[in-house]
Amino acid sequence: MATEDLTQAVELTEPLCHLSELVDGRSRGFDPLGEGRDTMFVVRQGERLYGYRNHCPHYDQARMNWKKDEFLNGARDRIMCFAHGALFDIASGECEIGPCLGQRLTSVKLTVRDGQVWISGPYVPGRPRRSS
């Protein structure tokens, strides 16, 4: 699994969204740094929110979703990598079925403040910046 380069981390000054914009039992992708693609996603289960980076541990550049905001399997009880068919536990991010069995998704810590969903702490860009 790739490690994130914390030297490129950015402290966000805007929330991801309002909690009411996250539908219970569904997922939603986000592009917190305006990189042009969803680099993370959130799954809501009741009042619990689970945030993960949008890349499969089997192959770091593989995006998880098959279309905008679709990160869950048909039963909506697991996160699914549509590139590999791997299934992940929503609460832990651990792969339960697939080529990365036992590996985990990279979690993104979230906080809810005044009804707004925030990333807790600095956020690393989805693709490393190239040196000039």
Side-chain angles (χ1 to χ4, degrees):
M1 183 165 46
T3 57
E4 294 183 320
D5 180 1
L6 297 178
T7 62
Q8 296 184 21
V10 176
E11 195 71 42
L12 298 173
T13 59
E14 297 289 325
L16 289 175
C17 66
H18 193 275
L19 181 60
S20 65
E21 296 173 62
L22 297 172
V23 178
D24 187 17
R26 302 296 290 250
S27 58
R28 181 172 170 194
F30 292 94
D31 180 11
L33 299 178
E35 297 178 76
R37 65 182 181 99
D38 291 339
T39 58
M40 66 158 295
F41 63 96
V42 175
V43 178
R44 181 173 183 175
Q45 289 187 318
E47 293 305 308
R48 301 212 57 168
L49 301 178
Y50 302 95
Y52 295 103
R53 296 304 298 242
N54 185 9
H55 59 77
C56 183
H58 177 239
Y59 178 69
D60 191 41
Q61 295 301 315
R63 295 184 206 173
M64 302 284 293
N65 54 318
W66 68 279
K67 70 176 191 175
K68 179 72 174 143
D69 299 330
E70 294 293 340
F71 294 89
L72 301 177
N73 64 346
R76 301 199 180 283
D77 61 352
R78 288 188 175 92
I79 297 166
M80 182 173 183
C81 175
F82 288 92
H84 306 110
L87 294 174
F88 299 84
D89 178 70
I90 292 172
S92 69
E94 183 174 348
C95 181
E96 297 175 328
I97 299 170
C100 45
L101 192 62
Q103 292 182 296
R104 293 180 187 274
L105 298 173
T106 303
S107 67
V108 176
K109 294 189 186 306
L110 303 171
T111 302
V112 178
R113 292 189 309 240
D114 299 323
Q116 300 286 328
V117 179
W118 292 81
I119 293 175
S120 300
Y123 187 77
V124 177
R127 292 183 187 223
R129 294 182 195 134
R130 295 185 178 178
S131 17
S132 27

